[in-house]
Amino acid sequence: MGIATFESQDGRCAWANPREPIYVAYHDEEWGVPEYDPRALWEKLVLDGFQAGLAWITILKKREAFRAAFANFDPEAVARFGEADRARLMADAGIIRSNAKIDAAISGARLYLDLREGGVDFTRFLWDFVGGQPIQNTWSGIGQVPAQTPQAVEMAKALKARGFKFCGPVIVYAFMQAVGMVNDHVTSCPRHAAVQQLAKAL
């Protein structure tokens, strides 16, 4: 994940900073849980794009502000954003104020709708890169977890070919980990077995 490690608590993955309750809750309740809702997948992909060059904890702390600013990541609403919305977003101190990332989010909403209108299911489009079901890894330590994989490279290429931005293979792999396309909880972590039990085939 390219983030700092900390002394683990109760076998938790070492990136879950025990001094940040919001981070521990994210690890314990969200990270690695298979996500199949297309809107939620798009939201996470956008937020991971905003993370580029930053720590995820920065985005996590601003997530509710992002949701308020981006109409709860409703693609139909975001796709209609114009210059007034761009100006509003660039003035919003609660989010990451980057012209390029804001533009990528707005254009990404339009691309999402284009896919849907073309008969492409966003959930299946993404999950097909892992064969429709989570990859169950068995890492014993965080140092074994890769920054990207061949599946992430292929997904990144496919997204870029469709016009999506801020979706290189490292960002995409972080996305895949978060939405449960891969189970990268270390085996000592109680969440490894828990999210494994949530796996299903599309």
Side-chain angles (χ1 to χ4, degrees), residues 14 20 36 44 56 61 78 84 88 90 97 101 108 112 118 124 127 137 146 152 155 174 180 182:
E20 293 280 8
Y36 303 102
K44 187 61 174 66
W56 174 245
K61 288 179 176 179
V78 177
R88 170 180 60 81
M90 282 300 295
R97 291 178 286 184
K101 292 176 180 179
Y112 174 99
R124 190 166 293 279
W127 275 89
N137 289 321
M155 186 187 293
V182 292

Side-chain angles (χ1 to χ4, degrees), residues 40-59:
L41 288 168
W42 180 69
E43 173 184 333
K44 187 61 174 66
L45 191 63
V46 172
L47 289 174
D48 276 331
F50 271 99
Q51 183 197 350
L54 303 169
W56 174 245
I57 187 65
T58 302
I59 305 300

Side-chain angles (χ1 to χ4, degrees), residues 55-117:
W56 174 245
I57 187 65
T58 302
I59 305 300
L60 190 59
K61 288 179 176 179
K62 293 175 176 287
R63 184 163 60 170
E64 291 309 314
F66 269 107
R67 286 172 172 165
F70 282 91
N72 201 33
F73 290 98
D74 175 354
E76 293 187 3
V78 177
R80 293 193 295 269
F81 280 9
E83 287 305 311
D85 293 292
R86 288 185 73 259
R88 170 180 60 81
L89 292 167
M90 282 300 295
D92 189 340
I95 66 170
I96 304 301
R97 291 178 286 184
S98 160
N99 273 313
K101 292 176 180 179
I102 288 168
D103 286 346
I106 296 170
S107 66
R110 295 166 183 163
L111 293 166
Y112 174 99
L113 296 180
D114 287 345
L115 285 170
R116 190 177 70 184
E117 289 166 10

Side-chain angles (χ1 to χ4, degrees), residues 11-14 139-142 145 183-190 192:
R12 277 195 190 96
C13 299
W139 314 119
S140 59
I142 196 171
V145 181
N183 182 359
D184 271 354
H185 285 281
V186 295
T187 52
S188 63
C189 179
H192 183 274

